[in-house]
């Protein structure tokens, strides 16, 4: 409860009237920092490293900017920044594939679409206003209520996180590797077996470890799996001379993140993949169908509009 | 990656964050998204905030996956991103239609369900 | 119709349980015929008959009823007979034997025919027939509009009266009681477009209802105590009590039995217009005159007297019942007489005289002169009906004029002779002129009042009232029927005014005979002027129907006096009526019935004294004066002998006073010598004229509080009851209205709600799981 209270007090978010921005941002940042500090103090042996702080700060900061910037284009751009920071967080979490997938898909596709639409919508609407800002963009709606609600949410969720923090297993000490992880018992086997499904990969690993020379091959069973003995931690190898041998599993014998994710995706969630494909198809068709509906402007307005669109640069240039 | 860095003896990999830290970040981003959704009136920016919430959920999923040493979290994020993409497409199409109807992007132009 | 068939079968079938003797079954024809009349007149109404058919139907049915009654009387051999109609109501809820046990309630549609019943039914049906005939002409203005309605109610009335009088159980009596009340309401309110008539009808009905409450309670108590409401059973069970009473052991009689008559008399007071429930009768004059004559003079108002006479044994059982009845009757008689003296509307005067004479009858019952009371009922029916019918003829002929200040010398106008004679005879009877029927009947009561110990006060008041009665009766006669001829038309002048007739003739030689002969009417003196040129009012002399009825009634009234002298079959005394009464329940084992009602011709001093001695011990304590063994006396003389002369003198004084004040020296219709007395008695006279403000008293005591109460309830209903209901409707609207702003239609509002709800939910979960 005290954690809840501490968090609550710290997160006195200022008004998002979208005018006294800087002060608000500063206060918010301060509050966030205090929270994180509190977190750290709770588990002193697990201080996060600097990369976490950097990425986290950037992510949160640009997220704040997303919601507070009056111009929608800027909001979208800040969002892209947020995405990149999140990708960095993913990297810290050893999810490399996801990190880059995020950047490619999210930032590279979705947000570009957003930008297109923003420009499309803003173009035809905001010709009259000189500031180029819509009234609905400038002023926030019920900032106090929203802030209160948000703060409540934050407080409760953080409280959950704090409470639960002590019960969840701590971070994996990188130096000790996976052996000391309480969950690591089965994980190692799992990971090893994943690699086992890819004999060429196993060879690649062994070669990297220097245990395999050119011409050597790994013993492959009928279903294409490499012969890995988990109990004795050995791998069956066929030397170039045809001699079968068992070499020890080298340290760091881990699949890459992509492979793991791939295996998990296809082995454990095949149905979801299909459905995801269908969903994408539906979305595409839907978007096409929806945007086919044209609002019929009469000829005069069409001409006016096209003239306007064409004449703007000229006007701008003449003026 | 961290264990790579750890193997390399990079001092930055000496310490790692706890799950709570990541969760805090995720929660904070989510809440920022909520506040933004409740606050902004521009339809597109509102959807942007929903995307922010998706992102936050993704962070949380990855963090959990990492700490439970299960790759399901990352699979989940793949799906989340997929759905987010689909939803974003639909949403933007609808927004464009709505915009054509009322010539404004304000969410307050649509109040016909008023009690 | 099946009921009719049942009745006919009952008549012709062998005796059911030995209860249908010869002759009594004919009485079933009475209700049957009257109901038939009702049905046929209703059919006339439905088919909008436009002639006098309903009247002939009614007269026919009533004649048939009268013939049935007369035939039954002719073949009657005494005792009490039951004519069984059909089993009407029988509740049986226990296995105890039906009769005598308390476990059943039996009320059959049967008739208890004894001599009292026959006495009543004779004059009821007879008068009903005559008055129906009278009404056929009187109501002729309404042929096609209300004519049928009138006769429907008329026949229904006779049916109800028959049930009342002939019923063998108190429930049938009550049915008839309510029925006559209903018909009275219908007939008083016959001119339903007149607000005063409607108000009078309501007043009559409501006051009757007040009395009916007492009657109903009495009937219920009777059932509770005696286990049955059939007369035979009640009389049977009352025998031990009567034995106790005759020995003076009033303590042995249970209190409940003593309470019964007190309740029954309340009903009688309501129906027969005694204090305090008499105020409806004068207002009932709003109804057509035949109604007033039949219902409010002769039949309905005697129902109360009949009730007490029929349940006389029960009244004897209570020490206070009969004295109360006597005093109430006396006071009513006196009060009504005083009011009647100061009224100007002749019908009203007759109404008050009815109230007054009813008081006489009640007083008669109360002083144990049941014979006298019954005789007075009998004679009063005839002459009061005649008086009313004569007034009605006047009203009918003079377009509704009833003010005695605006009419004079009517008896001498052309065509009005019979009316004059009838009126004269009637007034003589009412005033108690010697040798008229009214004289004898009133005399019986007066004598009895002085004979019965302790009732002398009643006797003096009644004597005084007799004088007042004579005065105001002849005031009417001398003002309206004799004297200078003058008339003014009333308010009901018809559009088709008759050709003019100069009416303001002051005739000097307009004195006429009054008093002596009975054939005094002459048609002399057609003094009217010639036919004027204008459309002035012409009085409408009565037609054959009215005249014939009046003639018949005159003869009957005169003949009724003779009933006094007929010796009854059983050798008793009191004339024919006495005989009828003695063999009925009105004299049921009462030792007093033979006491003192000596015929005038018989010496009764020794008999009276001896008998008085025999049962003085059995008199109710209120009757005792401490003079054991001696009947009361009138100033020392034996009342029976002396009363003839005393009442004659008193009557003569009254008539003389009326003569002096209202006839002698009167030249106009409007003023007489009585007006010269006004400065002396003005205040009292005015008060009397305003009916002693009794109506206003009732209004203030009863009606106004009820109005206030009803307004209070109205407010409660509007505010509380309706308020609650409105609240039930208001609450959902209010709740809805207060929640509606949440539906702002703006997306953000809903989103805020969702997020806020989520936050709240999480807070709760947090508190629950981590607290």
């Amino acid at each position: 409860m005290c954690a809840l209270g501490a968090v609550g007090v710290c997160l006195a978010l200022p008004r998002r009237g979208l005018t006294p921005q800087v002060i608000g941002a500063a206060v918010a940042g301060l509050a966030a920092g205090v929270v994180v500090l509190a977190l750290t103090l709770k588990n002193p042996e697990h201080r996060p490293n600097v990369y976490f702080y950097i990425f986290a700060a950037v992510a949160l900061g640009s997220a704040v900017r997303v919601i507070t910037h009056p111009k929608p284009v800027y909001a979208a751009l800040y969002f892209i920044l947020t995405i990149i920071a999140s990708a960095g967080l993913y990297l810290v979490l050893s999810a490399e594939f996801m990190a880059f997938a995020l950047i490619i898909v999210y930032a590279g596709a979705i947000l570009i679409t957003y930008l297109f639409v923003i420009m499309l919508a803003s173009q035809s609407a905001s010709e009259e206003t000189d500031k180029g800002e819509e009234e609905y963009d400038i002023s926030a709606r019920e900032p106090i209520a929203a802030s209160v609600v948000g703060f409540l949410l934050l407080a409760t969720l953080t409280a959950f996180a704090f409470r639960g923090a002590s019960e969840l297993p701590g971070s994996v000490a990188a130096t000790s590797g996976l052996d000391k992880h309480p969950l690591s018992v089965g994980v190692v086997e799992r990971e090893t077996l994943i690699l086992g499904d890819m004999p060429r990969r196993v060879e690649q690993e062994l070669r990297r470890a220097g245990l395999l020379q050119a011409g050597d091959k790994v013993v492959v069973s009928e279903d294409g799996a490499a012969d890995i003995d988990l109990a004795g931690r050995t791998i069956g190898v066929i030397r170039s001379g045809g001699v079968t041998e068992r070499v020890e599993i080298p340290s760091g014998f881990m699949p890459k993140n992509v492979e793991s994710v791939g295996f998990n995706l296809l082995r454990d969630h095949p149905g979801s993949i299909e459905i995801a494909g269908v969903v994408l198809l539906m979305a595409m068709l839907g978007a096409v169908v929806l945007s086919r509906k044209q609002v019929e402007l009469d000829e005069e307005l069409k001409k006016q509009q096209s003239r306007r669109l064409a004449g703007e640069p000229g006007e701008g240039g003449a003026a | 990656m961290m264990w790579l860095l750890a193997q390399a003896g990079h001092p930055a990999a000496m310490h790692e964050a706890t799950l709570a830290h990541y969760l805090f970040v995720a929660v904070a981003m989510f809440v920022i998204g909520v506040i933004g959704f409740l606050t902004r009136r521009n339809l597109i920016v509102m959807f942007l905030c929903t995307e922010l919430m998706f992102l936050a959920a993704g962070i949380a999923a990855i963090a959990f996956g990492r700490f439970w040493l299960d790759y399901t979290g990352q699979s989940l994020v793949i799906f989340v991103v997929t759905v987010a993409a689909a939803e974003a497409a639909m949403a933007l199409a609808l927004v464009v239609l709505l915009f054509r109807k009322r010539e404004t992007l304000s969410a307050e132009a649509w109040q016909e369900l008023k009690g | 119709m099946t009921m009719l068939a049942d009745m006919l079968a009952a008549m012709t079938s062998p005796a059911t349980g030995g209860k249908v003797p010869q002759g009594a079954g004919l009485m079933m024809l009475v209700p049957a015929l009257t109901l038939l009349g009702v049905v046929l007149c209703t059919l006339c109404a439905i088919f909008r008959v436009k002639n006098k058919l309903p009247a002939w139907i009614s007269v026919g049915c009533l004649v048939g009823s009268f013939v049935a009654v007369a035939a039954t009387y002719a073949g009657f051999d005494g005792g009490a007979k039951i004519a069984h109609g059909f089993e009407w109501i029988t509740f049986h809820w226990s296995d105890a034997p039906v009769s005598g046990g308390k476990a059943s309630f039996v009320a059959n549609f049967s008739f208890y025919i004894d001599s009292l019943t026959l006495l009543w039914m004779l004059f009821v049906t007879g008068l009903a027939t005559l008055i129906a005939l009278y009404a056929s002409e009187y109501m002729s203005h309404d042929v096609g509009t209300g004519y049928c309605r009138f006769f429907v109610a008329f026949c229904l009335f006779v049916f109800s009266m028959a049930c009342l009088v002939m019923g063998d159980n108190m429930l049938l009596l009550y049915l008839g009681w309510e029925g006559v009340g209903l018909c009275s309401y219908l007939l008083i309110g016959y001119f339903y477009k007149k607000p005063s008539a409607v108000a009078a009808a309501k007043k009559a009905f409501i006051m009757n209802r007040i009395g009916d409450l007492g009657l109903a309670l009495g009937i219920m108590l009777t059932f509770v105590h005696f286990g049955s409401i059939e007369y035979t059973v009640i009389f049977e069970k009352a025998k031990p009590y009567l034995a106790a009473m005759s020995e003076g052991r009033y303590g042995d009689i249970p209190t409940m039995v003593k309470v019964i008559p007190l309740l029954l008399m309340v009903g009688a007071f309501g129906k027969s217009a005694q204090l305090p429930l008499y105020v409806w009768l004068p207002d009932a004059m709003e109804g057509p005159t035949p109604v007033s004559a039949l219902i409010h003079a002769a039949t309905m108002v005697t129902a109360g007297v009949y009730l007490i006479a029929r349940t006389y044994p029960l009244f004897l059982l209570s020490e206070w019942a009969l004295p109360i009845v006597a005093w109430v009757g006396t006071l009513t008689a006196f009060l009504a007489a005083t009011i009647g003296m100061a009224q100007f509307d002749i019908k009203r005067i007759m109404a008050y005289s009815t109230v007054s004479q009813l008081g006489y009858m009640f007083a008669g019952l109360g002083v144990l002169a049941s014979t006298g009371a019954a005789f007075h009922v009998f004679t009063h029916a005839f002459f009061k009906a005649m008086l009313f019918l004569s007034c009605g003829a006047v009203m009918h002929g003079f377009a509704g004029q009833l003010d005695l200040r605006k009419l004079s010398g009517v008896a001498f106008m052309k065509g009005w002779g019979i009316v004059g004679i009838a009126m004269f005879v009637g007034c003589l009877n009412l005033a108690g002129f010697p040798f008229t029927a009214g004289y004898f009947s009133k005399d019986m009561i007066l004598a009895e009042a002085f004979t019965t110990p302790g009732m002398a006060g009643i006797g003096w008041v009644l004597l005084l009232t007799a004088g007042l009665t004579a005065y105001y009766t002849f005031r009417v006669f001398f003002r309206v029927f004799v004297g200078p001829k003058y008339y003014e038309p009333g308010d009901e002048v018809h559009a088709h005014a008759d050709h003019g007739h100069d009416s303001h003739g002051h005739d000097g030689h307009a004195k006429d005979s009054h008093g002596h002969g009975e054939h005094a009417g002459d048609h002399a003196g057609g003094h009217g002027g010639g036919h004027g040129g204008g459309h002035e009012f012409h009085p409408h002399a009565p037609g054959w129907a009215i005249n014939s009825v009046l003639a018949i009634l005159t003869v009957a009234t005169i003949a009724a006096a003779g009933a006094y002298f007929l010796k009854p079959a059983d050798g008793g005394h009191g004339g024919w009526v006495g005989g009828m009464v003695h063999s009925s329940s009105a004299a049921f084992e009462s030792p007093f019935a033979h006491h003192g009602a000596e015929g005038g011709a018989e010496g009764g001093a020794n008999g009276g004294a001896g008998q008085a001695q025999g049962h003085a011990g059995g008199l109710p304590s209120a009757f005792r004066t401490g003079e054991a063994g001696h009947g009361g006396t009138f100033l020392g003389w034996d009342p029976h002998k002396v009363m003839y002369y005393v009442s004659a003198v008193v009557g003569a004084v009254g008539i003389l006073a009326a003569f002096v004040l209202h006839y002698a020296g009167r030249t106009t219709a409007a003023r007489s010598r009585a007006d010269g007395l006004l400065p002396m008695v003005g205040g009292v006279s005015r008060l009397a004229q305003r009916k002693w403000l009794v109506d206003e008293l009732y209004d203030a005591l009863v009606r106004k509080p009820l109005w206030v109460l009803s307004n209070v309830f109205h407010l409660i209903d509007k505010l509380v009851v309706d308020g609650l209901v409105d609240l039930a409707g208001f609450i959902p609207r209010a709740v809805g209205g207060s929640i509606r702003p949440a539906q702002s239609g703006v997306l953000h509002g809903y989103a805020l709600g969702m997020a806020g709800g989520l936050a709240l939910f999480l807070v709760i979960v947090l508190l629950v799981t981590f607290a």
Side-chain angles (χ1 to χ4, degrees):
Chain A
M1 294 315 293
C2 57
L4 176 63
V7 166
V9 168
C10 290
L11 289 176
L13 296 170
R15 278 166 205 270
R16 304 299 166 131
L18 290 179
T19 33
Q21 299 258 359
V22 178
I23 306 168
V27 173
L30 198 65
V34 170
V35 169
V36 173
L37 207 61
L39 263 177
T40 314
L41 288 171
K42 215 166 160 145
N43 300 299
E45 67 274 10
H46 297 294
R47 263 185 311 116
N49 58 43
V50 62
Y51 290 113
F52 166 77
Y53 279 118
I54 295 171
F55 288 130
V58 171
L60 290 180
S62 57
V64 166
R65 221 42 206 122
V66 165
I67 71 171
T68 61
H69 204 283
K71 293 191 183 147
V73 178
Y74 278 84
L77 292 174
Y78 274 110
F79 191 71
I80 294 179
L81 184 57
T82 311
I83 293 171
I84 294 174
S86 303
L89 277 178
Y90 284 18
L91 279 176
V92 176
L93 282 170
S94 310
E96 307 95 23
F97 170 67
M98 284 319 301
F100 295 110
L102 198 73
I103 294 178
I104 293 170
V105 171
Y106 225 122
I110 299 175
L111 263 293
I112 299 301
T113 314
Y114 265 97
L115 278 170
F116 276 136
V117 173
I118 288 173
M119 289 178 191
L120 200 71
S122 315
Q123 175 76 318
S124 39
S126 60
E127 296 152 358
E128 299 82 32
T129 51
D130 44 354
K131 274 178 24 181
E133 280 182 6
E134 291 292 330
E135 189 265 341
Y136 51 79
D137 281 330
I138 296 177
S139 60
R141 184 197 147 83
E142 293 181 9
I144 301 175
S147 305
V148 164
V149 167
F151 133 69
L152 264 179
L153 269 177
L154 185 58
T156 51
L157 290 171
T158 316
F160 276 115
F162 274 2
R163 288 294 177 125
S166 51
E167 285 133 29
L168 285 176
S171 66
V172 179
T175 49
S176 51
L178 287 170
D179 306 344
K180 292 240 184 79
H181 198 285
L183 287 178
S184 65
V185 175
V187 173
V188 177
E189 276 78 16
R190 222 168 40 227
E191 301 275 339
T192 315
L193 281 173
I194 287 174
L195 262 186
D197 282 330
M198 299 177 284
R200 301 292 154 248
R201 204 47 193 88
V202 172
E203 287 174 8
Q204 200 182 19
E205 280 291 317
L206 288 176
R207 268 193 207 101
R208 194 178 52 80
L211 294 172
L212 210 61
Q213 278 71 37
D216 295 341
K217 285 211 193 326
V218 172
V219 174
V220 179
S221 63
E222 289 83 31
D223 48 5
D227 177 20
I228 299 178
D229 180 11
L230 287 169
R233 303 192 63 79
T234 55
I235 303 177
V237 165
I238 302 180
R239 298 284 180 194
S240 42
V243 179
T244 45
E245 209 178 281
R246 299 209 71 87
V247 296
E248 200 165 316
I249 296 178
S251 66
F253 188 71
M254 293 274 294
K256 295 210 183 70
N257 182 257
V258 184
E259 293 158 351
S260 311
V261 172
F263 267 99
N264 181 277
L265 207 55
L266 285 172
R267 217 177 358 198
D268 297 336
H269 308 99
S272 308
I273 292 175
E274 307 296 330
I275 295 173
V278 172
V279 164
L280 284 171
L281 180 67
M282 283 190 326
M284 187 172 67
L285 289 175
V288 167
V289 165
L290 279 178
S291 46
R292 255 185 345 117
K293 286 186 201 161
Q294 285 276 358
V295 172
E296 290 294 326
L297 300 171
D298 52 61
E299 285 303 310
E300 190 58 42
L301 270 167
K302 270 190 194 159
K303 276 193 205 155
Q304 215 175 15
Q305 202 146 32
S306 57
R307 215 183 298 124
R308 210 172 35 212
L309 288 170
E312 233 179 22
E315 284 172 5
Chain B
M1 169 192 148
M2 291 311 295
W3 59 266
L4 275 174
L5 292 173
Q7 279 192 327
H10 196 285
M14 283 304 137
H15 309 282
E16 278 209 30
T18 59
L19 178 63
H21 289 87
Y22 288 102
L23 283 186
F24 173 72
V25 172
V27 165
M29 201 184 293
F30 182 85
V31 167
I32 290 172
V34 167
I35 294 178
F37 184 85
L38 297 178
T39 307
R40 298 298 297 259
R41 284 184 240 169
N42 191 327
L43 278 173
I44 299 180
V45 178
M46 279 166 64
F47 277 111
L48 214 55
C49 298
T50 67
E51 301 292 331
L52 199 50
M53 292 191 246
F54 275 122
L55 201 58
I59 295 177
I62 301 281
F64 273 115
R66 178 68 179 84
F67 284 99
W68 289 102
L69 294 174
D70 191 347
Y71 288 96
T72 308
Q74 301 188 23
S75 305
L76 179 65
V77 173
I78 289 183
F79 293 125
V80 162
V81 171
T82 307
V83 169
E87 173 251 350
M90 302 305 314
L92 288 173
L94 287 172
V95 166
V96 165
L97 280 179
L98 289 176
F99 174 75
R100 281 187 200 154
K101 251 333 201 176
R102 292 283 163 95
E103 298 292 317
T104 176
L105 276 176
S106 171
E108 288 177 347
W110 303 91
Q111 288 190 15
E112 281 155 38
L113 278 182
K114 196 175 173 69
Chain C
M1 281 304 124
T2 54
M3 192 176 73
L4 183 61
D6 283 347
M7 280 196 257
L8 288 171
M11 270 166 31
T12 53
S13 70
T16 53
K19 276 198 198 167
V20 184
Q22 203 75 356
L26 269 182
M27 293 302 272
M28 277 298 160
L29 266 184
V30 175
L33 280 175
T34 45
L35 269 185
L36 181 69
V38 169
V39 168
L40 289 177
C41 288
T42 313
L43 285 176
C44 288
I46 292 174
F47 291 118
R48 300 180 195 275
V49 168
K50 294 259 185 281
N51 53 27
K52 291 191 184 177
L53 184 60
W56 307 133
I57 294 174
S58 308
V59 172
C61 294
L62 290 170
V63 163
S65 317
F66 178 69
V67 166
V69 173
T72 310
Y73 171 68
F76 194 65
D77 53 356
K81 309 209 185 324
I82 308 259
H84 188 76
F86 56 92
E87 287 216 351
W88 182 31
I89 298 176
T90 306
F91 290 126
H92 183 63
W93 56 83
S94 135
D95 286 336
V98 173
S99 63
K102 280 203 192 173
S104 64
F105 179 89
V106 176
N108 296 325
F109 197 90
S110 331
F111 295 145
Y112 180 89
I113 313 295
D114 70 355
S115 48
L116 190 71
T117 314
L118 285 174
L119 176 69
W120 237 266
M121 284 314 291
L122 277 175
F123 76 78
V124 165
T125 47
L127 278 173
T129 316
L130 289 173
I131 293 179
L133 186 61
Y134 177 96
S136 71
E137 175 180 335
Y138 190 84
M139 303 299 296
S140 56
H141 292 299
D142 283 344
V143 170
T145 55
Y147 207 63
C148 308
R149 177 163 55 98
F150 180 84
F151 283 101
V152 168
F154 201 88
C155 290
L156 192 62
F157 169 80
V158 182
F159 170 75
S160 307
M161 194 69 197
C163 284
L164 196 160
V165 170
M166 297 198 293
D168 90 322
N169 56 66
M170 297 178 93
L171 193 64
L172 201 53
L173 178 136
Y174 194 72
L175 173 77
W177 197 272
E178 297 296 334
V180 298
L182 170 71
C183 295
S184 168
Y185 169 81
L186 288 174
L187 287 167
I188 296 175
Y190 173 76
F191 300 114
Y192 60 83
K193 296 197 179 124
K194 232 169 109 178
S196 58
V198 170
K202 274 194 289 189
K203 187 173 180 176
F205 196 76
I206 291 174
M207 301 216 87
N208 266 332
R209 272 326 248 158
I210 299 174
D212 292 347
L213 176 67
L215 179 60
L217 286 174
I219 295 178
M220 290 178 206
L221 265 188
T222 312
F223 178 70
V224 165
H225 187 83
F226 289 104
S228 167
I229 50 167
E230 296 178 313
Y231 294 133
T232 44
V233 176
I234 294 173
F235 295 153
E236 211 39 58
K237 291 204 163 171
K239 274 187 187 159
Y241 298 132
L242 284 166
M245 173 217 67
S246 59
E247 293 163 22
R249 291 184 285 119
Y250 278 99
D252 288 348
I253 302 175
T255 317
M256 196 185 284
V257 174
K258 291 190 193 173
V259 169
I260 291 175
L262 295 176
L263 289 170
L264 291 177
M265 78 170 71
V266 173
F269 291 160
K271 185 67 75 180
S272 296
Q274 299 298 295
L275 271 172
L277 300 169
Y278 72 91
V279 290
W280 62 271
L281 190 53
D283 285 358
M285 297 299 117
E286 297 282 344
T289 308
V291 169
S292 307
L294 181 66
I295 298 183
H296 305 123
T299 45
M300 190 180 92
V301 294
T302 60
V305 183
Y306 175 77
L307 172 70
I308 297 185
R310 172 59 74 211
T311 54
Y312 213 57
L314 293 177
F315 274 80
L316 289 170
L317 294 174
S318 167
E319 303 142 294
W320 298 109
L322 286 177
I324 294 177
V325 167
W327 275 107
V328 167
T330 311
L331 289 174
T332 309
F334 180 67
L335 185 73
T338 54
I339 300 179
M341 277 166 51
Q343 299 295 312
F344 297 115
D345 181 339
I346 52 177
K347 254 179 100 176
R348 283 264 147 152
I349 297 173
M350 290 303 149
Y352 280 109
S353 83
T354 306
V355 175
S356 187
Q357 297 305 306
L358 286 169
Y360 264 93
M361 296 172 211
F362 274 85
L365 285 173
V367 298
L368 305 172
S370 50
T371 311
F375 192 30
H376 201 59
V377 166
F378 188 72
T379 56
H380 175 264
F382 286 105
F383 64 72
K384 190 46 66 67
M386 191 161 67
L387 282 171
F388 266 112
L389 294 180
S390 310
C391 294
V394 168
M395 189 176 166
H396 183 75
F398 288 93
Q401 178 61 263
L402 285 172
D403 193 331
L404 54 75
R405 294 170 294 191
K406 301 199 173 106
L407 287 170
S408 173
V410 172
F412 301 126
M413 297 182 190
K414 196 160 168 51
W416 288 91
I418 297 189
V419 174
I421 295 174
M423 189 73 183
F424 183 61
V425 171
C427 287
L428 286 179
N429 272 281
L430 183 53
F433 194 81
F435 296 108
T436 57
Y439 169 71
F440 289 121
S441 59
K442 199 181 289 191
D443 198 61
M444 278 170 99
I445 298 175
L446 284 170
E448 210 58 40
F450 284 104
T451 311
T452 309
M455 296 277 117
I458 288 185
W460 283 109
V461 177
L462 285 178
L463 205 54
L464 176 63
T465 312
L468 297 180
T469 308
Y471 166 72
Y472 70 69
T473 310
F474 272 90
R475 172 170 172 255
V476 171
F477 185 75
F478 284 137
R479 289 293 286 263
V480 175
F481 284 86
V482 295
K485 275 198 268 183
Y486 172 82
Y487 61 84
E488 274 178 37
D491 304 325
E492 296 168 15
V493 181
H494 298 289
H496 54 283
D498 307 67
H499 20 273
H501 187 84
D502 195 54
S503 57
H504 294 258
H506 287 276
D507 286 282
H509 56 280
K511 63 168 154 305
D512 188 60
S513 52
H514 64 273
H516 318 295
E518 287 155 14
H519 301 279
D522 63 19
H523 308 269
H527 303 277
H531 290 267
H535 289 277
E536 291 195 2
F537 173 72
H538 183 69
H540 173 58
W544 67 272
I546 294 184
N547 274 333
S548 56
V549 167
L550 285 174
I552 296 175
L553 275 177
T554 313
V555 171
T557 312
I558 296 170
Y564 185 67
F565 296 102
L566 288 176
K567 289 292 180 287
D570 59 352
H573 26 256
W576 170 74
V577 173
M580 300 289 275
V581 170
H582 293 166
S583 54
S584 77
S585 65
F588 189 75
E589 282 197 18
S590 161
F592 311 104
H594 303 285
H595 160 262
E598 313 289 326
E602 301 168 357
N606 48 350
Q611 285 182 355
Q613 191 165 29
H615 50 255
L619 287 168
S621 56
F623 288 148
R624 301 177 203 242
T625 54
E627 308 169 19
H630 202 63
T633 60
F634 178 79
L635 298 175
W637 291 300
D638 173 27
H640 298 290
K641 284 193 171 151
V642 160
M643 200 44 64
Y644 295 121
Y645 307 112
V646 173
S647 59
V649 165
V650 168
V653 166
I655 297 175
L656 194 65
F659 177 79
V660 166
L661 289 176
H662 291 287
Y663 178 69
R666 184 162 69 89
T667 51
T668 66
R671 294 185 56 85
S672 72
R673 275 207 200 146
D675 299 328
L677 284 178
L678 271 181
M680 287 197 298
V681 297
V684 176
S685 159
R686 261 199 306 282
L687 211 56
Q689 207 238 323
R690 292 181 61 193
K691 303 167 286 173
W692 303 116
L693 300 172
V694 172
D695 271 328
E696 285 77 2
L697 188 70
Y698 285 167
D699 192 48
L701 277 182
V702 176
R703 203 178 130 266
K704 288 228 161 54
L706 277 179
W707 269 104
V708 169
L709 197 65
S710 82
N711 274 326
V712 167
F713 283 135
H714 173 68
L715 267 179
I716 291 178
D717 179 48
K718 206 158 67 123
L719 292 178
V720 174
V721 176
D722 278 356
L724 278 175
V725 172
D726 284 345
L727 198 67
F730 171 75
I731 288 178
R733 259 184 301 153
V735 167
S738 60
I739 294 183
R740 199 179 299 121
Q743 286 265 348
S744 58
V746 179
L747 180 62
H748 295 91
Y750 301 145
L752 190 62
M754 282 198 287
L758 179 66
L760 217 60
F761 180 68
L762 283 176
V763 168
I764 292 171
V765 170
L766 192 66
L767 291 174
V768 167
T769 53
F770 289 129

